[in-house]
Amino acid sequence: MSQQTEEGPQHPPRAGDRRGNDRRRVERRAPVPPWRRPWALVAYGVVGTLALVLLLNGLGGDDDPAPRDETLVERPAEGTTQVDPTDPRVAAAGPEDAYGTAGFERLVVEGEAAVGKTVRTELFCATPQNFTIVSGHRAPASVTTLIQGGQVPAAVCKWGPSGEPRREDLLLLVPPAQADEFAAAPVVNDNFVERRRVVAEVEWVGRSETLALRTGAVFLRMIQR
C-alpha cells in the first residue's frame, strides 16, 4: 500500500522584504537659508529696535532738553532800574494808620493805588543788611535813589506785634541818612528772637520785582505811640 503525502497549497515566494533598507534610509534636508539663521533673526530685532527709537525721537519735536540742575537761580535782569512816577494825589495825601494785620491787608488789596503812600505802623526788624536788587524793572524814586552797586540797605521785618493773628514779612529799606535813627530803636524779645521795635512812618512800596518780588517799604522817621 503506497503512502500518499498530502501537500498543502503552494505560495509564490515573496517579492521582497517590506522592512528593507528603503524605510531606514535617512532623509536628507536642504540647508537653512542665511536669512532664517539665528544670527540673522537677532540682527532683524536690533535693526527694528533702532528704527523704532529713531521714529519716536523724530516725533518728539525740537523741545530743548530740561536742565539737569533743577535748583532755581535768581539772575538780575539786564538793564537799569527805571523810576516809576508817583501819583501826585498819593504824594499830597497825609500819613494814615496801617497797624497790624488789618492795615497790611488793606494796603495789599489797594494794589498799585497804595504805592507811595505814607503810613504809620509798628514793625519788629532784624539788623539791616545789603540786599541785591533785580535791575531792569520800574521802581519808585525812593527805592532807586538807595541803589548802590546793585544793592540796597534793608532790614527784614515782621508787620505788627506777636499777638496778631498773621504776621507778614516786610523788607524795610533804610536810607543811610536815617540809619542812626533806626539803630536807636529799642531791642526787644519777639517770640524768642531779638528784634528792634520800630514804630515809624514808612513809604509803602508793595510787592516789587526790583526787590525780587518781596513786599517792601522805605523807612522815613520814628514816631511816638
Side-chain angles (χ1 to χ4, degrees):
M1 184 170 177
S2 61
Q3 265 185 339
Q4 295 182 359
T5 303
E6 295 182 0
E7 295 180 0
Q10 298 294 323
H11 297 281
R14 296 180 179 179
D17 190 357
R18 290 179 297 176
R19 294 175 299 175
N21 294 332
D22 292 342
R23 296 189 61 186
R24 297 180 182 180
R25 187 175 302 166
V26 178
E27 182 180 357
R28 294 182 179 181
R29 297 181 180 179
V32 178
W35 56 85
R36 293 181 56 189
R37 294 183 181 180
W39 61 266
L41 299 178
V42 173
Y44 297 155
V46 173
V47 173
T49 302
L50 291 177
L52 180 61
V53 171
L54 293 176
L55 178 62
L56 293 178
N57 289 339
L59 296 177
D62 298 331
D63 296 338
D64 295 332
R68 295 181 181 178
D69 188 3
E70 297 181 356
T71 305
L72 178 62
V73 178
E74 290 187 3
R75 295 182 179 178
E78 297 181 357
T80 58
T81 303
Q82 301 177 1
V83 179
D84 192 9
T86 303
D87 189 338
R89 294 171 297 179
V90 175
E96 58 185 57
D97 293 341
Y99 292 99
T101 303
F104 185 93
E105 291 180 347
R106 174 171 56 82
L107 293 170
V108 171
V109 169
E110 291 180 5
E112 293 293 331
V115 176
K117 277 189 175 181
T118 299
V119 298
R120 291 183 288 260
T121 188
E122 181 181 17
L123 305 171
F124 292 80
C125 303
T127 303
Q129 304 177 29
N130 288 325
F131 284 82
T132 301
I133 60 98
V134 180
S135 60
H137 301 286
R138 299 173 68 90
S142 57
V143 175
T144 58
T145 55
L146 298 179
I147 298 175
Q148 296 291 333
Q151 295 181 328
V152 290
V156 177
C157 304
K158 293 290 184 181
W159 188 286
S162 58
E164 290 292 322
R166 184 172 60 256
R167 305 174 74 192
E168 302 291 346
D169 290 333
L170 178 83
L171 191 65
L172 182 65
L173 279 62
V174 181
Q178 278 75 38
D180 292 339
E181 185 178 5
F182 178 89
V187 177
V188 298
N189 189 318
D190 181 43
N191 282 345
F192 306 103
V193 178
E194 289 189 349
R195 295 188 177 98
R196 296 188 183 276
R197 179 176 179 266
V198 179
V199 182
E201 289 183 0
V202 301
E203 179 184 332
W204 178 259
V205 175
R207 190 176 178 86
S208 173
E209 292 179 326
T210 301
L211 302 178
L213 296 179
R214 297 182 178 93
T215 301
V218 179
F219 175 77
L220 299 179
R221 64 187 64 85
M222 298 290 291
I223 60 175
Q224 298 295 328
R225 188 187 182 208

